[in-house]
Amino acid sequence: MSESFENNLKNLEMIVEKLESGQCGLDESLKLYTDGVKLSADCKKQLESARQKIENLSDYIGK
């Protein structure tokens, strides 16, 4: 089961903070970046799913 949107966003924010700190070496930075891209994609999918549900509900209510 995937993490909640909120947990994914929190983890993504932590990754950004670590990368912006400049304290990571190249290998760790690449791993963090890769993890961040995956989390970002998961967040995007979750937002799209929520948008679709809202749209479906709006269509249902509008009938």
Side-chain angles (χ1 to χ4, degrees):
M1 183 174 178
S2 66
E3 291 287 328
S4 70
F5 175 80
E6 292 79 10
N7 284 340
N8 283 338
L9 189 58
K10 179 181 168 188
N11 290 334
L12 185 56
E13 289 170 345
M14 289 188 318
I15 286 172
V16 169
E17 287 176 15
K18 286 181 183 179
L19 289 171
E20 288 180 341
S21 76
Q23 301 297 312
C24 302
L26 179 60
D27 288 339
E28 184 179 0
S29 293
L30 287 172
K31 182 186 180 326
L32 288 169
Y33 182 80
T34 300
D35 292 346
V37 168
K38 291 176 184 176
L39 285 170
S40 177
D42 285 347
C43 286
K44 184 177 178 180
K45 287 178 190 174
Q46 289 170 317
L47 286 172
E48 179 58 28
S49 175
R51 185 198 63 77
Q52 186 63 48
K53 288 176 184 177
I54 290 169
E55 191 174 290
N56 290 344
L57 287 170
S58 294
D59 289 346
Y60 178 75
I61 291 170
K63 290 183 178 183

